[in-house]
């Protein structure tokens, strides 16, 4: 009865079913909370914009159940709109496959820096002086949109100088590298960030110091900048502190001095209204973020300009690469050289206590704690960044192959067995022979079964993947007649779904080898594999 029901419904081991098995762990139903808990363990948030359809359907569907649990049919209904992302998450295909242990390490690093008491909260304007020195937050977002936050991650604060790399990226995105660098250099200045000083060509040294950032401000448009900020942050919190803007303007004598000097030296594009640009500069400093939203901005930089949680392309790869290069050499005030040496990652700090840190191709991080050291960098932030690269091999020049003393969270560990069944059946389902070859080569058990006792051979036969069937039989010597939970063999599947080529392969194989011979041949499987791989 099971068999006919199953066939009538046309239920094959679809991606949805494979996902169901993974989460159900042998049970008939998945309680909704079990699903969301399992989801969060992968690093995805239920509020992720890429899971909108799934979450909406889940809400609607749960109202129709009496026990808040999903059977295979209801589960499929909920997940099918976002099945690609969900499958990636549960097959541990994200950049940090074992996200939970990674987060535990992050929390340890956070706790370690929490105890630091040194540093001074900036007090040149009241909007900064009011912050408690105890505030401390770390948020991260990976290039796959995995999220983790710890501490005061929802408190708004101003980007201040952390906006400098962002506006530089926007300028390059809009105008290209060559145009932007007609006006601004690419060299660390060796001088304090707000010095009234230009390079030998009478240009600001780089876009991360005030002079360069003020010129850079003249290259971007007021009308589009907030749109860029929102997109960089995947539409999470971006605000504006008008009080900060007013205070910055009132106390900004040095920046006015720089502005006039830049004007005298003809550093701006022709026709620029310098005082309007200074206002715009102060406004950009006054853009508010939270640690959480800024981590998404950093992640967009880590991800080549694509926002991980919306998938939207915000910045050109050229703009992002330039930005990371200059953050690496010039992002940390007069600590930039030492930071590049010890941490080896692009970062930008600001006077509000933020450090925007990028681990290219892995994740973006925002650290925030108001007390600053003598050079103007967040004391706890610096500690966190330093500790991060002593634990993980994230330093740009850490050797990924041979430097075994550090952890590499990019490497897979953990639940190998469950993962391998899923990967195996998935490859059989999609007809991916080369993946199967790799599995066989890494001595995976090619006869593994899922919760319905189905094997890769069942799945390949039902899907009509002749080449896969041949590979499993001839190279891997798998049992040709395994029975699934409904008593079906791969031959039954091939016949039922009318895959005549597969039927022929299975029948020829049966005639060639008796079951006893097959078992004996299995011993020679490795030799045969050499020929076929
Ligand atoms: N508003 C400050 C200035 O332009 C920003 C300081 C900073 O974050 O480095 O001087």
């Amino acid at each position: 009865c099971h068999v006919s029901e199953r066939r009538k419904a046309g239920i094959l081991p679809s991606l949805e079913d494979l996902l169901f098995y993974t989460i159900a762990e042998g049970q008939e139903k998945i309680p909704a909370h079990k699903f969301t808990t399992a989801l969060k363990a992968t690093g995805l948030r239920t509020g992720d914009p890429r899971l909108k359809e799934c979450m909406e359907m889940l809400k609607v569907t749960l109202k129709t159940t009496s026990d808040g649990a999903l059977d295979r049919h209801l589960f499929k209904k909920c997940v099918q709109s976002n099945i690609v992302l969900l499958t990636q998450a549960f097959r541990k295909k994200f950049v940090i496959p074992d996200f939970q242990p990674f987060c535990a390490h992050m929390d340890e690093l956070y706790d370690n820096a929490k105890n630091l008491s040194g540093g001074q909260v900036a007090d040149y304007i009241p909007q900064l002086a009011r912050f408690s020195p105890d505030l401390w937050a770390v948020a991260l977002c990976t290039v796959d949109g995995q999220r983790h936050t710890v501490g005061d991650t929802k408190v708004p604060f101003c980007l201040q100088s952390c906006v400098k790399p962002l506006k530089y990226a926007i300028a390059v995105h809009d105008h290209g590298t060559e145009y932007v660098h007609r006006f601004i250099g690419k060299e660390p200045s060796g001088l304090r960030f707000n010095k009234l000083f230009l390079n030998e060509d009478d240009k600001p040294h780089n876009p991360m110091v005030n002079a360069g950032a003020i010129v850079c401000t003249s290259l971007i448009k007021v009308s589009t900048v907030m749109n860029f900020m929102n997109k960089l942050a995947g539409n999470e919190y971006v605000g504006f502190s008008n009080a900060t803007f007013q205070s910055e303007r009132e106390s900004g004598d040095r920046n006015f001095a720089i502005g006039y000097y830049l004007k005298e030296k003809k550093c701006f594009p022709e026709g620029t209204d310098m005082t309007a640009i200074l206002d715009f500069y102060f406004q950009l400093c006054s853009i508010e973020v939270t640690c959480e939203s800024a981590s998404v901005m950093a992640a967009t930089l880590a991800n080549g300009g694509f926002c991980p949680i919306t998938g939207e392309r915000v910045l050109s790869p050229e703009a992002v690469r330039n930005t990371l290069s200059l953050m690496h050499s010039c992002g940390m005030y007069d600590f930039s050289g030492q930071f590049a040496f010890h941490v080896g990652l692009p970062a930008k700090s600001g006077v509000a206590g933020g450090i925007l840190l990028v681990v290219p191709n892995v994740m973006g991080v925002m650290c925030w704690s108001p007390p600053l050291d003598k050079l103007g960098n967040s004391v706890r932030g610096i500690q966190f960044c330093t500790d991060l690269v002593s634990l993980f091999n994230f330093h740009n020049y850490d050797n990924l192959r041979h430097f075994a003393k550090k952890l590499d969270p990019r490497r897979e560990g953990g639940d190998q067995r469950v993962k391998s069944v899923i990967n195996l059946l998935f490859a059989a389902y999609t007809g991916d022979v080369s993946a199967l070859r790799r599995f066989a080569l890494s001595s995976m058990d090619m006869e593994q079964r899922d919760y319905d006792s189905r094997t890769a051979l069942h799945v390949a036969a039902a899907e009509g993947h002749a080449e896969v069937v041949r590979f499993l039989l001839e190279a891997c010597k798998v049992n040709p007649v395994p029975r699934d939970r409904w008593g079906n063999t791969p031959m039954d599947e091939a016949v039922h779904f009318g895959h005549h080529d597969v039927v022929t392969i299975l029948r020829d194989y049966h005639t060639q080898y008796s079951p006893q011979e097959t078992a004996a041949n299995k011993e020679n499987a490795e030799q045969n594999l050499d020929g076929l791989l």
Side-chain angles (χ1 to χ4, degrees):
C1 130
H2 269 119
V3 183
S4 63
E5 258 179 37
R6 220 175 131 260
R7 295 241 156 107
K8 231 186 289 162
I11 300 170
L12 287 168
S14 60
L15 288 178
E16 288 86 349
D17 286 344
L18 290 175
L19 194 59
F20 183 88
Y21 297 134
T22 313
I23 302 170
E25 297 177 305
Q27 303 298 303
E28 292 288 317
K29 285 184 173 189
I30 300 177
H33 65 84
K34 184 171 185 170
F35 174 50
T36 51
T37 304
L39 187 66
K40 284 179 197 155
T42 71
L44 288 179
R45 283 191 172 173
T46 51
D48 191 305
R50 296 168 298 172
L51 293 176
K52 191 162 167 264
E53 293 82 1
C54 170
M55 288 303 142
E56 277 170 5
M57 187 55 84
L58 183 63
K59 220 164 146 191
V60 173
T61 306
L62 284 177
K63 284 190 189 134
T64 69
T65 67
S66 52
D67 55 356
L70 306 166
D71 62 18
R72 193 146 73 172
H73 170 70
L74 290 180
F75 181 78
K76 185 172 192 152
K77 212 171 99 182
C78 292
V79 298
Q80 60 191 1
S81 306
N82 306 120
I83 189 64
V84 175
L85 180 67
L86 289 167
T87 305
Q88 266 184 303
F90 285 98
R91 291 180 68 222
K92 299 208 178 194
K93 289 294 169 187
F94 286 161
V95 65
I96 313 261
D98 292 316
F99 198 63
Q100 293 307 98
F102 180 70
C103 295
H105 281 303
M106 290 292 142
D107 292 351
E108 283 165 25
L109 300 184
Y110 172 91
D111 287 337
N112 187 42
K114 195 182 171 81
N115 303 325
L116 293 178
S117 56
Q120 291 291 316
V121 179
D123 57 4
Y124 70 96
I125 55 172
Q127 291 77 18
L128 287 173
R130 75 183 164 87
F131 279 124
S132 158
D134 297 331
L135 288 163
W136 171 220
V138 174
L140 70 90
C141 174
T142 72
V143 293
D144 289 309
Q146 297 163 283
R147 311 289 296 272
H148 182 63
T149 64
V150 48
D152 308 299
T153 51
K154 291 179 194 300
V155 182
F157 62 94
C158 287
L159 279 172
Q160 291 284 5
S161 282
C162 296
V163 83
K164 288 178 168 90
L166 306 178
K167 65 179 149 182
Y168 168 72
I170 295 168
V172 175
H173 176 85
D174 283 348
H175 302 287
T177 306
E178 194 276 326
Y179 180 81
V180 171
H181 285 284
R182 273 188 226 168
F183 300 93
I184 312 169
K186 306 161 186 162
E187 194 69 20
S189 66
L191 296 165
R192 290 198 71 94
F193 71 102
N194 59 356
K195 274 284 181 212
L196 209 163
F197 200 73
L198 300 176
N199 68 17
E200 300 213 317
D201 303 328
D202 276 347
K203 289 184 202 173
H205 286 82
N206 66 69
M208 304 300 151
V209 295
N210 285 17
I214 291 170
V215 171
C216 194
T217 303
S218 73
L219 305 178
I220 64 172
K221 292 195 275 290
V222 184
S223 56
T224 59
V225 75
M226 281 316 253
N227 192 28
F228 268 109
M229 294 296 155
N230 288 323
K231 285 197 213 166
L232 284 166
N235 300 313
E236 294 193 359
Y237 182 81
V238 179
F240 176 71
S241 166
N242 193 50
T244 300
F245 164 53
Q246 298 298 341
S247 295
E248 286 288 341
R249 180 155 64 172
E250 274 157 37
S251 65
D253 291 339
R254 174 62 64 90
N255 287 320
F256 277 98
I258 294 172
Y260 279 103
Y261 186 50
L262 292 167
K263 188 177 164 209
E264 181 209 336
K265 294 291 184 184
K266 306 213 175 332
C267 292
F268 294 108
E270 222 162 289
T272 299
D273 175 349
M274 188 272 292
T275 51
I277 291 305
L278 279 178
D279 268 0
F280 189 20
Y281 173 86
F282 295 130
Q283 285 166 350
L284 292 175
C285 287
S286 311
I287 290 175
E288 276 184 345
V289 292
T290 63
C291 211
E292 269 187 50
S293 65
S295 72
V296 180
M297 293 175 157
T300 303
L301 294 179
N303 196 34
F306 287 83
C307 177
I309 60 168
T310 60
E312 194 176 359
R313 183 184 156 160
V314 188
L315 295 166
S316 67
E318 175 190 350
V320 172
R321 196 185 70 167
N322 287 359
T323 304
L324 297 180
S325 296
L326 289 170
M327 286 168 76
H328 181 84
S329 57
C330 315
M332 301 298 287
Y333 304 121
D334 287 354
F335 191 65
S336 297
Q338 291 191 67
F339 193 87
F341 181 85
H342 289 291
V343 180
L345 290 172
K348 183 73 197 86
S349 53
V351 73
I355 297 181
L356 195 71
L357 177 76
V358 179
V359 185
N361 304 303
V362 178
M363 64 175 177
V365 181
M366 182 54 128
C367 304
W368 178 57
S369 181
L372 307 176
D373 63 20
K374 289 211 167 62
L375 296 172
N377 295 310
S378 166
V379 172
R380 293 193 183 95
I382 293 283
Q383 184 71 45
F384 181 88
C385 295
T386 312
D387 289 349
L388 180 73
V389 295
S390 48
L391 185 57
F392 297 107
N393 59 4
F394 287 154
H395 188 297
N396 192 24
Y397 301 112
D398 274 333
N399 188 287
L400 299 183
R401 283 184 162 184
H402 303 297
F403 202 65
K405 284 191 205 107
K406 292 191 191 181
L407 301 178
D408 187 352
R410 287 163 283 205
R411 201 163 288 156
E412 298 186 38
D415 205 347
Q416 289 295 345
R417 199 202 59 80
V418 170
K419 214 169 52 202
S420 83
V421 185
I422 298 165
N423 287 341
L424 180 61
L425 295 201
F426 182 83
Y429 177 72
T430 55
D432 188 348
V433 188
S434 65
L436 289 166
R437 284 199 193 99
R438 266 183 283 120
F439 296 155
L441 195 60
S442 60
S443 64
M444 184 187 275
D445 175 4
M446 304 301 277
E447 293 187 342
Q448 291 177 93
R449 291 159 178 259
D450 72 3
Y451 290 107
D452 287 336
S453 277
R454 292 176 63 78
T455 65
L457 192 62
H458 281 103
V459 175
E463 291 300 313
H465 294 308
E467 209 190 332
V468 173
V469 170
R470 200 174 286 124
F471 176 75
L472 288 169
L473 291 172
E474 293 172 7
C476 307
K477 305 286 178 210
V478 298
N479 175 8
V481 286
R483 292 194 181 272
D484 68 13
R485 124 177 199 212
W486 301 279
N488 293 316
T489 64
M491 179 64 98
D492 297 330
E493 300 282 350
V495 170
H496 181 84
F497 292 103
H499 299 305
H500 303 297
D501 47 347
V502 174
V503 173
T504 311
I505 294 165
L506 285 164
R507 200 185 38 225
D508 290 355
Y509 190 79
H510 274 265
T511 4
Q512 252 178 296
Y513 304 101
S514 73
Q516 288 81 359
E517 271 173 332
T518 308
N521 280 344
K522 232 180 139 174
E523 312 245 310
N524 299 326
E526 263 165 51
Q527 277 169 296
N528 290 318
L529 270 171
D530 287 342
L532 277 144
L533 284 166

